[in-house]
Amino acid sequence: MQTNYIIRGFGHYAPERVLTNADLEKIVDTTDEWITSRTGIKQRHIVAEGESASDMAAQAARQALAEAGMEPAELTHIVVATFTPDSMIPSTACVLQSKLGISGQMCVDVSAACSGFLYALQTARGYLALEPEAKVLVVAAEVISRRTNWDDRATCVLFGDAAGAVVLTGGGEDERPRLLDMMLAADGSLGDLLTVHGGGSAYAYKMGEPVGPEYFVQMQGRETFKHAVRNMTSICEALLERHGVGKSEIDVLLPHQANWRIIDAVGRKFEIPPEKVFANIDRYANTSAASIPVALSEAVKTGFIKPGDLVLLTSFGGGFTWGSALVRF
Ligand code: ACO
């Protein structure tokens, strides 16, 4: 069975159009001061008309493949994490495959909201355990702007569009970056705290009916906040304990970018100084599943993560779902 999981390349993409807090002040009753002090967000990227999750996924995927020195045709599996797929059918993974100009690979979408990338990565590890020669493209892509209620100031200021990608394969003991281990969890009883119900089969609608607020992100922010800090902390502690790794051994903490206060709270619990905590929420806002691969790709390309670093990833999202991962660079 494969036990070495090597990340061969990183890619990320964000649409050209930027929506600043000042722009939002013209749309809803909010201020740059409120958004910055409550979330750390200064701007977010928004797709162009006609641009889709699979378009962004293809951009990020091509970058990751180029970095890995691989051709798309070498891939054996494509896993896409998203809660904003292009369509219900076909899956965004299938659309992405076609946009990459390849066919034959197993393609599947994974739905775990903001934890989607870590869930997709674990899925990829499973494929590699079954087929050691597998070469798995793992992409997360979100067009949250099309599932945003632009009349709801409590949610519309929080999200942005982006995509991130990695290629996961097997490899030798000494190869890096190596995905050492992961832990994932969920609590479906808390699902109603963060929803996009509309379009699902439990929420029947008739042709011609107007679309209501249930088609867009609805969130009980304060409750979500508490669960996010508690669960990200506990699942990181459990993973470190499983590997006998002390908090002081972590070189970089890279959490899901939902809110600077959540990122800061998790960092404090682990006694990790702010300069070792990666954050780009100011420029991207919360891009859900895409947030971790975008942050990873940026952290690698800017040298924030250096060879030899032990990096702790953690996420929390709707479902509720959460997870942690350890990567040795
Ligand atoms: N501008 C100005 N005022 C606002 C805004 C806004 N954009 N939004 C809300 N307010 C007001 C509210 O109406 C409220 O006013 P009131 O006191 O008069 O009623 C006040 O600000 C406080 O609102 P809260 O919602 O209590 O503010 P809070 O400090 O909790 O911050 C936030 C809200 C930023 C949403 C925070 O709770 C949060 O980040 N939650 C977690 C988000 C998260 O982690 N999500 C998980 C991943 S997302 C996914 O899976 C897709």
Side-chain angles (χ1 to χ4, degrees):
M1 196 170 93
Q2 183 62 254
T3 52
N4 299 323
Y5 305 97
I6 312 301
I7 304 175
R8 299 282 172 193
F10 300 86
H12 70 281
Y13 171 83
E16 214 174 289
R17 185 179 159 212
V18 166
L19 193 70
T20 64
N21 291 349
D23 295 329
L24 278 169
E25 286 178 357
K26 293 174 199 142
I27 301 173
V28 282
D29 180 15
T30 192
T31 60
D32 172 49
E33 197 282 321
W34 191 96
I35 302 169
T36 306
S37 61
R38 298 288 175 127
T39 69
I41 299 165
K42 298 299 281 183
Q43 63 170 53
R44 66 286 293 144
H45 292 256
I46 305 288
V47 284
E49 214 177 312
E51 194 174 20
S52 66
S54 63
D55 289 327
M56 293 195 297
Q59 296 272 5
R62 285 192 195 101
Q63 199 182 104
L65 283 162
E67 217 178 276
M70 283 171 57
E71 292 298 326
E74 293 177 60
L75 295 169
T76 57
H77 301 71
I78 298 177
V79 188
V80 174
T82 185
F83 84 91
T84 53
D86 284 20
S87 318
M88 304 302 280
I89 299 175
S91 71
T92 301
C94 283
V95 181
L96 171 61
Q97 180 196 39
S98 163
K99 286 185 177 170
L100 292 176
I102 52 178
S103 64
Q105 295 77 8
M106 174 181 164
C107 296
V108 67
D109 285 3
V110 168
S111 172
C114 299
S115 301
F117 178 73
L118 291 189
Y119 269 66
L121 210 52
Q122 182 77 310
T123 305
R125 281 213 312 166
Y127 297 144
L128 273 154
L130 290 166
E131 297 174 39
E133 301 306 318
K135 294 182 169 67
V136 189
L137 175 64
V138 182
V139 188
E142 302 282 17
V143 186
I144 310 178
S145 60
R146 297 216 175 101
R147 286 291 189 162
T148 296
N149 177 353
W150 292 101
D151 291 331
D152 177 15
R153 69 175 182 173
T155 54
C156 77
V157 302
L158 302 175
F159 299 101
D161 303 334
V166 300
V167 181
L168 195 74
T169 75
E173 282 294 320
D174 299 334
E175 289 193 90
R176 303 277 185 273
R178 183 169 166 192
L179 176 57
L180 299 175
D181 199 8
M182 306 183 65
M183 284 178 100
L184 299 171
D187 184 350
S189 71
L190 298 167
D192 281 343
L193 294 174
L194 206 180
T195 59
V196 182
H197 283 314
S201 60
Y203 301 85
Y205 63 101
K206 293 197 193 92
M207 200 148 47
E209 267 183 2
V211 165
E214 71 277 13
Y215 275 78
F216 304 98
V217 173
Q218 296 183 307
M219 178 168 70
Q220 294 184 35
R222 207 163 268 193
E223 275 302 301
T224 305
F225 193 109
K226 277 189 268 178
H227 288 285
V229 176
R230 199 178 301 147
N231 289 317
M232 285 200 281
T233 304
S234 64
I235 204 158
C236 284
E237 276 168 356
L239 187 63
L240 294 189
E241 201 179 306
R242 183 148 93 181
H243 288 269
V245 173
K247 290 172 180 169
S248 61
E249 293 174 66
I250 302 300
D251 297 301
V252 172
L253 173 69
L254 192 149
H256 168 50
Q257 309 284 308
N259 182 319
W260 167 247
R261 288 185 294 146
I262 296 177
I263 296 170
D264 186 49
V266 175
R268 279 173 201 276
K269 298 249 182 208
F270 282 89
E271 295 154 24
I272 295 176
E275 60 273 19
K276 289 185 168 187
V277 180
F278 186 83
N280 60 9
I281 184 157
D282 56 328
R283 287 173 290 121
Y284 293 96
N286 179 350
T287 60
S288 190
S291 97
I292 288 189
V294 168
L296 258 180
S297 180
E298 273 205 349
V300 170
K301 289 174 175 65
T302 58
F304 190 95
I305 295 176
K306 295 173 208 56
D309 279 354
L310 185 61
V311 178
L312 179 61
L313 312 176
T314 185
S315 69
F316 182 84
F320 282 145
T321 55
W322 59 97
S324 58
L326 266 177
V327 184
R328 174 66 76 183
F329 277 77

